[in-house]
Structures are given as C-alpha cells and as structure tokens.
C-alpha cells in the first residue's frame, strides 16, 4: 500500500524567484491542486500572474524570507543566486528543496568544479584567479585558449571572457574588467557537441532522468534544444545519465537538476563526457518536456520537492522533439508561430523584449525519431 506523503493537494508551495521558471513551476503545481506563494524582489515578476500569494522583498531580506517560509509547507527556488543566509532562514522555517548544500556548491564555479572532480568526474582544467599574478600563472599552466569567468552570478555568457592569444589584452586590464571579484580560469574543451541531462531525485532517493538533449547556443544563449541528442552513442548516453545520478546522490539532492556536459570525440571509441556545470533547478534545456515527455520537468520538480512519487520521464510516443527559444524581438512572431501546424507556443508574460532576453519558447514534436 502506497503511503500518503505529508504534503498533500491543497498545501502551499513556496517558490523563491519570480521569472519564467517560477511561473512554469507554479502552473504545474496548480495542476496538482497546490497553492503557490512566490517570493521575488520585482513587483512585475511574471510568476506573480499565476500565483495565489506573493511577497515582494529583496533576496537578502532575512526577516521577509522567514515570514514567507512560515506561510508555506515546502520551499523551492527557480535560480541559484540566493545568499547563503537566505537559504538558512528558509530552511529554519520549512523544508527546503534542493538543500542549502546543493545551493552553496553550485553557485560558486570553483567549489562546483572541485566537488565534481572529487567524485572522479572530468571537467575542463581550472585554476582559481584572484590577482593578475594568479591569471598569469593559470594561463601558463592551462594554456590558451581559455575562458576567464566570475566564480558567482554569471549566466547566458555574462561574467566571462575568452582569452585566445598572447596578444589578446594586457593581463591586468583583462582582470580589471571583472571589477575585482573572485574568478576562475577554465581551459578550452575541444568538444563536438554540448548536451545536458535533466533529471530528478526524490526525497526517498528515487532517480529519473530524461533523455540527454543536444543544445545549440548563439551569443552564449541557448537557442535550440534537440532530443534525443543526434548521433549520441548508447555508451555515451548511459555515461552521461550515470554522471547526473552520481552528482544528485552526492549532494543528497531533491528536485530537478540539469548537468551540462561536453562530448569530446575519441579516435578509438564513443565520445568522452566532460562536465561543464550543474544547474540546481529546472532548466531551459528541459522545456521540451512540457509537450514532449509523459511528465514535464516542472511537474517532476513539484512531485520531488513535495515528497511525491516521481513520474515517467519517457518521451511521448518515442517522438523526437525540438525546442526553440524566443529571444528578444523573436517574440514579435507569436501570431505566425501560432499559425504553424504542430507548433506549441509558450510566452512568459514579460514586458520589454530586450536583446538577449528570453521571452518564450516554441516546441515541436517530430513524428520520425532522429537516429
């Protein structure tokens, strides 16, 4: 006989963050009869449009966070840049999933890569960089090209710079571009494809992974996701999913996470998997699951954080799926997209369509699976 979880339909799910990911988690929660309370600093946050309750306060407002957490039955978050003090305030009042350790590990690129390597999982070579001397030494050890990144708060290509050649700028000037914040230098990985594994782990340790998907970036922003990943060997697929599981278990993770990876070609066998980074949340590359999988990543996340059984991550009918992001002015084509047979349009309710801003996405199921 199946036991009844402590959190039941009618309970309140608290979500920290009011962007499109919070919005889509809230929509999934509503389908399960849950109420949603959103905590976000911006009064025009798009997730507020679909939530029962809202708190407008800064992420470092510990008192407001404590009041919010006391008003809900379980707390999750839609992005990882939450101060450690905030996570502690939340966890003191309500169950917090994913946990504060997962948050702290993944919001610092240096801590994250050290954690991954400690599991025996390969990443790009890296070095901590705090001074011009550190950068000079790191470049000598890692070589060029290499990527200099802030350790915290970077996404969609923000907070990073490629260093290609000896003449590519003065070392001190390059580091000054980052405003004195702690950085990390990462070596270049000669990959043939970028893939991600979106997976979930429940409170009981159950694990479920979606098929690895191939991701195409433009100007450092995810543009297209294709699943199944074209040309991926079965051994490589199994290795990628196994890596995601090891990471989730080592973090005692609860909820959906994404592990972004590089596939590096090998002369004598299937591609080698090199981990790029971990996203401790639902992920842009998993948006295809709304129409393309038996249970979407958002519904799966709700199930996981509420202590409910995980759903089936299989693709609907084994069909191939493509997801295209609508970035900036792309959203102006919404009417034409609606007229396309098979196109599934999702708009995020944002105001200004700024350059580089994710305004929505389009999903299309393909009847003939890719091989």
């Amino acid at each position: 006989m199946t036991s009844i979880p402590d959190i039941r339909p009618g309970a309140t799910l608290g979500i920290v963050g009011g962007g499109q990911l919070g919005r889509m988690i809230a929509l999934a929660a509503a389908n399960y009869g849950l109420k949603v309370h959103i905590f976000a600093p911006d009064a025009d946050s798009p997730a507020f449009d679909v939530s029962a309750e809202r708190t407008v306060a800064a992420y470092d407002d510990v008192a407001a966070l404590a009041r919010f957490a006391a008003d809900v039955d379980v707390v999750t978050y839609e992005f990882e840049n939450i101060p450690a003090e905030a996570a502690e305030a939340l966890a003191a009042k309500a169950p917090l999933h994913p946990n504060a350790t997962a948050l702290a590990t993944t919001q610092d690129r240096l801590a994250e890569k050290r954690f991954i390597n400690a599991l025996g999982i390969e990443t790009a070579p890296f070095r901590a960089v705090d001074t011009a001397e550190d950068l000079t030494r790191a470049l000598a050890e890692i070589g060029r090209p290499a990527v200099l990144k802030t350790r915290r708060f970077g996404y969609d290509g923000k907070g990073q710079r490629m260093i290609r050649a000896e003449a590519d700028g003065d070392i001190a000037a390059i580091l000054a571009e980052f405003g004195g914040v702690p950085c990390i230098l990462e070596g270049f990985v000669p990959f043939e494809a970028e893939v991600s594994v979106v997976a979930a782990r429940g409170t009981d340790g159950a694990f479920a992974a979606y098929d690895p998907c191939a991701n195409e970036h433009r100007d450092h922003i995810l543009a297209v996701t294709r699943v199944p990943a074209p040309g991926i060997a079965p051994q490589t697929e199994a290795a990628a999913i196994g890596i995601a599981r090891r990471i989730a278990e080592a973090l005692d993770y609860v909820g959906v996470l994404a592990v972004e990876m590089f596939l590096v070609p090998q002369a004598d066998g299937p591609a080698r998997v090199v981990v790029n980074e971990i996203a401790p949340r639902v992920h842009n590359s998993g948006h295809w699951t709304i129409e393309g999988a038996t249970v979407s990543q958002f519904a799966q996340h709700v199930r996981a954080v509420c202590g409910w059984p995980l759903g089936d991550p299989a693709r609907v009918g084994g069909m191939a799926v493509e997801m295209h992001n609508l970035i900036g002015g792309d959203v102006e084509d919404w009417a034409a997209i609606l007229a396309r047979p098979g196109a599934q349009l999702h708009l995020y309710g944002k105001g200004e369509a700024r350059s580089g801003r994710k305004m929505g996405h389009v999903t299309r199921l393909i009847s003939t699976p890719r091989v």
Side-chain angles (χ1 to χ4, degrees), residues 18 29-30 49 57 65 75 78 92 105 116 124 151 168 178 183 187 189 230 240 255 330 344:
D49 295 340
L65 285 162
V75 180
E78 66 140 21
T105 302
I116 294 167
R151 282 173 53 178
D168 193 17
F178 290 78
C183 293
V189 177
D330 294 347
Q344 302 289 336

Side-chain angles (χ1 to χ4, degrees), residues 238-251:
I241 292 173
I243 284 170
R245 183 166 194 160
R246 286 164 61 193
I247 288 171
E249 290 176 348
L251 290 170

Side-chain angles (χ1 to χ4, degrees), residues 8-32:
R8 305 173 70 159
T12 300
L13 170 64
I15 303 174
V16 180
Q20 66 262 24
L21 299 179
R23 179 186 178 101
M24 287 183 274
I25 294 171
L27 290 169
N31 286 335
Y32 288 136

Side-chain angles (χ1 to χ4, degrees), residues 175-225:
L175 197 57
E177 295 175 15
F178 290 78
V181 300
C183 293
I184 181 173
L185 185 76
E186 299 178 8
F188 180 74
V189 177
F191 62 89
E192 64 181 3
E194 295 180 72
V195 303
S196 57
V197 173
V198 177
R201 185 171 181 270
T203 55
D204 61 353
F207 179 84
Y210 297 95
D211 290 336
C213 51
N215 299 316
E216 177 184 327
H217 292 79
R218 297 171 190 160
D219 298 324
H220 302 289
I221 301 172
L222 180 62
V224 183
T225 292

